Amino acid sequence: MIARIWSGESLLWLLLLPLSWLYGLVSGAIRLSYRLGLKKAWRAPVPVVVVGNLTAGGNGKTPVAIWLVEQLQQQGIKVGVVSRGYGGKAARYPLVLTPRTLPSEAGDEPVLIYQRTGAPVAVSPSRSEAVQALLADQDLQIIITDDGLQHYRLARDVEIVVIDGVRRFGNGWWLPAGPMRERASRLKSVDAAIVNGGVPRQGEIPMQLHPGLAVNLRTGEKRSVSSLTDVVAMAGIGHPPRFFATLEQCGVQPVKTVALNDHQVLAAEDLQALATEGQTLIMTEKDAVKCRQFAQDNWWYLPVDAVFDDESAPRLIQKLVGLVRR
């Protein structure tokens, strides 16, 4: 239902317009207060790069953050990552991740980034405190923030917006009548707009999410996802249909698909009931980080990587490298 409202297919969005106007008024006032200097943003002693979005829901932001970290690491640059840690509840903040940190403490996306990149990661509702915690513990040269475009308390040197190239901005209205956290005109002030799938518009950087080999949660075995049989597909991400479409593109026709809420807490008994004996449960890597402790032999995940074929992507990396080495 919410997808139909946000796309404009359902006229129910008209009933929510007053709330959207209020959301836009409040969010605009917050941003203006920082622009006018009425509120002060904290500036880190190292460059800060924000990877965010203008809409609610998944759009490939975390794979882009991972790609940035890995590209900078290949340049010999020491990178740290901070996040709000949505979906996690730590005993205290800021929380600097360790190999023992659970998604229930830090959130699934920070744990995923930490496991994939090995970069230092910290989470806190106050991103500035997360940055300070990392810098107190590590000699870092640049910070990537996973989300936080609207978190103006942290000053930033570069803003990167990730856009779902298929859904784009729906009906264009603020939450809750539409999917927007900020209006599309905000793109005029960001440094780069990366478009995940679809057809990019002028000035946008095209990106695709490419699946890798399926990985068994218990053994680490890797194999082509198309070799799995009697597949039950599960996705607890911002836009589950994207994952199911990826499986179909890989030649997998699941016998059942299960769409869960983004950042949903996963319990062993719930997942065990999804796939019967002889079936294979395939999930996203983001879901997998929450299931490793109770994974079954027939549970697999499919990692995806952000892939760029456009020459503007290397230029973006060189811009970030230049911030560090200037």
Side-chain angles (χ1 to χ4, degrees):
M1 175 59 75
I2 195 66
R4 284 176 49 81
I5 293 174
W6 285 358
S7 68
E9 294 178 20
S10 170
L11 293 181
L12 288 177
W13 68 271
L14 292 170
L15 299 177
L16 298 172
L17 268 181
L19 294 176
S20 291
W21 292 330
L22 178 61
Y23 182 99
L25 179 64
V26 172
S27 61
I30 291 173
R31 184 179 178 218
L32 183 62
S33 67
Y34 282 98
R35 292 182 63 184
L36 296 178
L38 301 178
K39 291 185 177 182
K40 298 295 183 183
W42 180 79
R43 181 164 292 280
V46 299
V48 171
V49 179
V50 171
V51 181
N53 50 29
L54 300 183
T55 59
N59 52 20
K61 171 179 52 60
T62 297
V64 169
I66 290 173
W67 175 78
L68 289 171
V69 172
E70 292 176 338
Q71 292 294 310
L72 291 170
Q73 287 174 332
Q74 291 173 16
Q75 298 280 343
I77 293 173
K78 300 175 183 177
V79 191
V81 179
V82 300
S83 171
R84 166 65 179 84
Y86 188 81
K89 294 183 179 179
R92 61 178 59 88
Y93 292 104
L95 172 67
V96 178
L97 274 64
T98 72
R100 296 181 298 278
T101 303
L102 300 175
S104 58
E105 300 171 303
D108 42 30
E109 288 161 345
V111 173
L112 170 57
I113 294 171
Y114 181 75
Q115 292 179 353
R116 279 285 294 267
T117 68
V121 178
V123 300
S124 175
S126 171
R127 271 72 159 196
S128 60
E129 292 182 2
V131 173
Q132 292 175 66
L134 282 184
L135 295 179
D137 190 54
Q138 302 277 344
D139 179 23
L140 301 175
Q141 297 172 283
I142 192 170
I143 299 291
I144 305 293
T145 78
D146 182 34
D147 207 357
L149 185 66
Q150 291 80 32
H151 186 77
Y152 292 109
R153 282 186 291 170
L154 177 62
R156 64 288 305 267
D157 298 271
V158 173
E159 291 182 328
I160 300 172
V161 167
V162 184
I163 302 168
D164 184 317
V166 176
R167 294 180 295 163
R168 292 197 71 89
F169 304 128
N171 61 16
W173 279 101
W174 292 293
L175 294 163
M180 306 301 293
R181 297 176 177 178
E182 296 183 89
R183 299 300 290 271
S185 58
R186 178 75 164 83
L187 289 175
K188 298 177 183 178
S189 63
V190 304
D191 298 276
I194 293 175
V195 179
N196 178 13
V199 179
R201 298 180 181 177
Q202 185 175 5
E204 298 176 342
I205 302 175
M207 181 266 286
Q208 299 286 336
L209 292 179
H210 285 195
L213 295 174
V215 183
N216 186 279
L217 268 73
R218 293 197 69 175
T219 67
E221 177 191 353
K222 297 181 180 180
R223 64 169 67 169
S224 170
V225 67
S226 62
S227 69
L228 302 178
T229 57
D230 292 325
V231 170
V232 174
M234 180 197 81
I237 56 177
H239 187 53
R242 179 187 292 121
F243 178 65
F244 304 144
T246 297
L247 291 176
E248 292 181 1
Q249 291 166 9
C250 293
V252 177
Q253 294 292 333
V255 297
K256 180 171 65 174
T257 59
V258 181
L260 304 176
N261 294 327
D262 196 11
H263 306 291
Q264 182 171 328
V265 176
L266 302 178
E269 55 271 19
D270 297 330
L271 269 65
Q272 289 167 358
L274 293 181
T276 61
E277 185 176 353
Q279 291 182 324
T280 301
L281 182 63
I282 183 78
M283 64 187 72
T284 72
E285 187 175 12
K286 181 175 163 181
D287 292 312
V289 300
K290 297 183 285 187
C291 303
R292 293 186 189 278
Q293 292 184 310
F294 51 82
Q296 302 295 304
D297 291 339
N298 61 332
W299 293 8
W300 297 72
Y301 71 88
L302 184 65
V304 294
D305 293 299
V307 176
F308 297 81
D309 296 324
D310 190 84
E311 61 182 12
S312 52
R315 288 201 300 266
L316 175 59
I317 295 300
Q318 288 308 309
K319 179 177 181 177
L320 302 187
V321 172
L323 288 177
V324 173
R325 295 175 176 170
R326 65 186 176 188

